[in-house]
Amino acid sequence: MTHAPPPPLSSPSAAVRLRLVSQPAQGHVAQRIDGAWWPRSPDLATELPRLLAGLPHAWGQVTSVLVDEAVWSPFPNRLLVANQVVRLRRTTTQHSPSTVCLLAPGRGRWDLMVVPPAATDAEAGRLMGSMATALDVSVGWGVAVR
């Protein structure tokens, strides 16, 4: 098991680049997406603790994460984040765009689109905007930043 370093608390470069849908999608949605995450690097062991620290408290304790292993540098099967074991599971299924699935027992499941770390500000803005348009929630976005 790998121990994740705690995320820096106040550095602007440590802010989580995360946009969440403020309201759950209404009706049937073929691919449920709850937001978009723009990590700073392909190092999941470094990026995941920042993401988990920036999630809404109401989401509870995420204990399992499913990611597309092709997107990330090699990573362990388990990671200790804030004294909690988080199981990291891999998928080789090609998603377009790439997603990360967060599971919190008794609380729920959240799927986030992953913006490529190397994306420019303009590219990331377009990807996040196109996702909002596709989900018809362009006015329902909130920004979670820590």
Side-chain angles (χ1 to χ4, degrees), residues 42-136:
D43 182 358
L44 188 63
T46 298
E47 298 297 331
L48 188 62
R50 290 183 186 137
L51 171 64
L52 297 181
L55 294 176
H57 183 62
W59 286 20
Q61 191 71 37
V62 172
T63 61
S64 185
V65 178
L66 178 64
V67 299
D68 177 359
E69 71 179 337
V71 173
W72 303 98
S73 301
F75 56 90
N77 292 328
R78 294 180 298 170
L79 192 62
L80 188 62
V81 179
N83 294 320
Q84 173 72 35
V85 174
V86 177
R87 297 195 186 290
L88 305 176
R89 298 174 50 205
R90 296 159 170 78
T91 180
T92 56
T93 304
Q94 293 295 322
H95 298 284
S96 185
S98 178
T99 59
V100 60
C101 175
L102 308 171
L103 301 168
R107 293 288 181 102
R109 168 188 171 155
W110 296 273
D111 293 281
L112 302 176
M113 178 182 76
V114 177
V115 175
T120 65
D121 288 344
E123 291 168 334
R126 277 193 301 276
L127 285 169
M128 290 178 171
S130 67
M131 185 184 76
T133 301
L135 294 175
D136 195 28

Side-chain angles (χ1 to χ4, degrees), residues 24-33 134-136:
Q26 300 296 319
H28 177 73
V29 178
Q31 168 89 27
R32 186 184 93 182
I33 297 292
L135 294 175
D136 195 28

